[in-house]
Amino acid sequence: MDNFEFILTSYGDCDDFVVEIWYQNNLIAIVKDNDEIQLFDENKNKAIVASNLFDSAVEVAKKKLKG
């Protein structure tokens, strides 16, 4: 998990928080509090998104959202 960075943030005037998942300085995904996951540049990031590490990263992001 050393290569992942998690940033809790909100966009615009939304009260809802999201967690950005970054991997080696690339935004990989955004996890929303309704468990929706928005992936970025899926072709470029296909290997990391398909890995077990990404699944673990999503779980960490969900925990951050729940406090």
Side-chain angles (χ1 to χ4, degrees):
M1 300 297 289
D2 292 338
N3 292 325
F4 287 98
E5 183 178 352
F6 304 92
I7 300 174
L8 179 66
T9 189
S10 65
Y11 293 120
D13 20 337
C14 290
D15 291 335
D16 297 331
F17 284 98
V18 299
V19 174
E20 297 176 341
I21 300 176
W22 292 76
Y23 181 78
Q24 297 180 343
N25 295 322
N26 293 308
L27 180 60
I28 301 295
I30 291 178
V31 178
K32 299 178 181 178
D33 62 357
N34 63 358
D35 289 339
E36 182 182 336
I37 301 169
Q38 180 180 355
L39 300 174
F40 290 91
D41 204 353
E42 291 181 59
N43 290 332
K44 176 183 169 190
N45 299 317
K46 187 180 287 187
I48 191 61
V49 169
S51 75
N52 290 338
L53 286 177
F54 180 73
D55 292 338
S56 297
V58 169
E59 290 306 312
V60 169
K62 287 179 182 179
K63 287 178 184 174
K64 285 189 170 289
L65 281 172
K66 294 182 177 157

